[in-house]
Amino acid sequence: MAYVKNLFDSNFIQYASYVIRDRAIPEITDGLKPVQRRIIHTLLKTDDGRFTKVANVCGKVMAYHPHGDASIYTALVNLANKEIFIDKQGNFGNMYTGDGASAPRYIECRLRPITKEILNTNPKITKYVETYDSRDTEPVAFQAKLPLVLIMGAEGIAVGMSTYILSHNIHEVIDAERKCLRGEKFQLYPDFPTGGLIDVSGYEDGLGKIITRAKMDTSDDKKIVITELPYGSTTESLCDSIEKAAKNGKVKIASIQDYTSDSVNIEIKLQRGVYTKDVVDALYAFTDCEQTIYCNLLVIKDNMPVQMTCTQVIEYYSKQLVGILKQELELEKAELMEKLHLRTLERIFVEERIYKKIEQQKTEEGVIKAVKDGFKPFRAELIRDITDEDVDHLLKIPIRRISLYDMNKNKQEVQAINDRIKEINRLLKHLVEYAISWLDGIEKKIAGENTKRRTKITNINAVDVKAVTKRDIPLKYDEKTGYLGSEVSGGEEKLKCTPFDKILYVRKSGIYSVSETPKKLFVGAGLQFCGFADKESLSKVLFTVLYRDPQTQYVYIKRCKITAFIMNRDYFLAPDDMEVLHIDTRKAFCFTLNYVKKPKMKVFNEKFKAGDFEEKSLKAKGIRLAAKEVQSISV
């Protein structure tokens, strides 16, 4: 058993680790999940500027992604609908209606050129590892220059944790990164492609919650038109929630029609005698027109799941942007220095006719030595020592090129290289300014209608569902069956209530309980009281309890109010082991005690007024009415 337990624990830890790191949670370095990264890597390798069938792309991604093509297809469609990396052609679904994309054999996609600018795909900078079958290599993570994890957002459920990152406007994110580089303060709030209204008072920099609402046109008193959706809803789910609320009597509407195509247009017609102002709050309270979304910005950082804030993500990417630009400049400088070295070698090789010195050599070693010796007088002009690879490069120069060698062209090329190296050195000394100028340039390239803020930030006063709900559900009690509830068919109607009310009911035995509006609850015959259990209602109800001690047969009176309770818990109005004879909620009434007849007894009954006795606390004991055995009472 111990072996099996250890094996299970080990395998479960491996599985949990795999789900967290390799499936559900995005990597902070590029903001992508593994399947998204593999899709982009495949498109980069096969990019020729033309559209490719999505089915073909999915097949090629399977060389990197050890799962079925269905998961790849879904991820590719979602990534394409973000409209950042992928151009799409064909039906990729409708984010408003929730309609799915066409089959992968009918739709096409291609990589956008801007992808190569946002993601660093240079293998000399990006780390690559072997694929799952060791037949190819794939990037561990691209280094992104923009915080894609905030721009695209992400959802994922792993083992023991989940992430829910809301999408943000790309221009606002770039501006935040620019301000961070300048040392200025910044604040980011979500922005959704479906538009709508949001309240960000509970949004704690990527954590906390937001309240999102549909945008409505209420200019017509008899018609409401929904023009923008709350985040997380589609027109289908929204219409379903409205129809359900109407069926349950929560919202009074005559009809609902969905005319959505390229923009949202849901038309709600109201019943006769009902006006827009009477329905709007109910729509927010009982339908998906208003939703609360809880956020959790969880990412993989340094191979571990870490909860971050938007500010921390922007600070991370600001440093990463400067680091990437520095690496790119240093790599370009090294390549230019190498190119300059080769151009210098070629010039000296041709100008000084060093190639003449190899004519008498009969061995390869002699040729290499003759070339190297020929460059010794010109060592000061060289950037570095000449190597065997350099000699090999020179010996491959065609005779025709030597005879037609253009010295002026060489000088111009060398001058251009030197100018660029000088510019690179200047940029390396002013990396922050260079990073800001890069952000300015990339922002101009993505400018357009599709990148403007769509979601309006506003203050949303939460609708009190209880206040909006009308008390129109009859709560009935059937004396014959002993059932109390909203779904009891026969019996007497005790009151009208809502599903959110708390109901106090007192049984014949004196036991009382408080619960939400019961559908069908057995309380037994002889129900003494049924009413609302809110503070205001209970303050008006004074309970008078007449009970008898089974041992002495003496009767006591207790007058009290119920001020506190725990839901769905039984309480006793009288002290324990007492027999409850009568419970009354009238403030003033009379009752008679009928005593047990005994010899020499002159008075066999006695009349009392309930109003003569003071109100006491719920836990107090009652007052004994007479030191005589009571047979019965008459009220």
Side-chain angles (χ1 to χ4, degrees), residues 361-416:
Q361 303 299 324
K362 296 182 179 180
T363 62
E364 185 179 350
E365 291 79 8
V367 170
I368 294 172
K369 186 176 183 304
V371 174
K372 286 184 177 180
D373 289 342
F375 275 96
K376 283 181 180 179
F378 311 102
R379 177 63 187 86
E381 297 182 44
L382 301 180
I383 294 171
R384 59 170 173 78
D385 291 335
I386 189 169
T387 63
D388 291 351
E389 288 76 15
D390 293 335
V391 174
D392 187 55
H393 171 76
L394 293 170
L395 295 176
K396 288 180 180 178
I397 297 175
I399 297 297
R400 179 182 296 176
R401 188 177 159 198
I402 292 175
S403 62
L404 298 176
Y405 192 75
D406 190 338
M407 300 302 299
N408 290 327
K409 184 180 178 182
N410 181 273
K411 285 179 181 179
Q412 290 174 3
E413 193 172 348
V414 168
Q415 183 61 42

Side-chain angles (χ1 to χ4, degrees), residues 140-155:
V140 175
F142 295 116
Q143 292 190 68
K145 297 175 184 176
L146 295 180
L148 299 174
V149 71
L150 295 180
I151 295 169
M152 298 196 301
E155 288 181 55

Side-chain angles (χ1 to χ4, degrees), residues 4 9 42 88 123 191 206 307 342 358 371 395-396 434 458-459 484 506 538 571 596:
V4 173
D9 290 345
T42 303
K88 51 191 182 181
D191 182 33
Q307 189 181 63
L342 293 176
I358 66 173
V371 174
L395 295 176
K396 288 180 180 178
Y434 177 45
T458 184
N459 292 323
L484 172 72
V506 184
L538 289 179
Y571 297 91
V596 175

Side-chain angles (χ1 to χ4, degrees), residues 343-366:
R343 293 296 172 269
T344 305
L345 287 178
E346 291 173 2
R347 177 182 59 79
I348 297 172
F349 187 68
V350 175
E351 273 187 347
E352 303 300 330
R353 299 180 180 273
I354 294 175
Y355 57 87
K356 291 284 187 180
K357 296 181 179 182
I358 66 173
E359 293 176 352
Q360 305 300 322
Q361 303 299 324
K362 296 182 179 180
T363 62
E364 185 179 350
E365 291 79 8

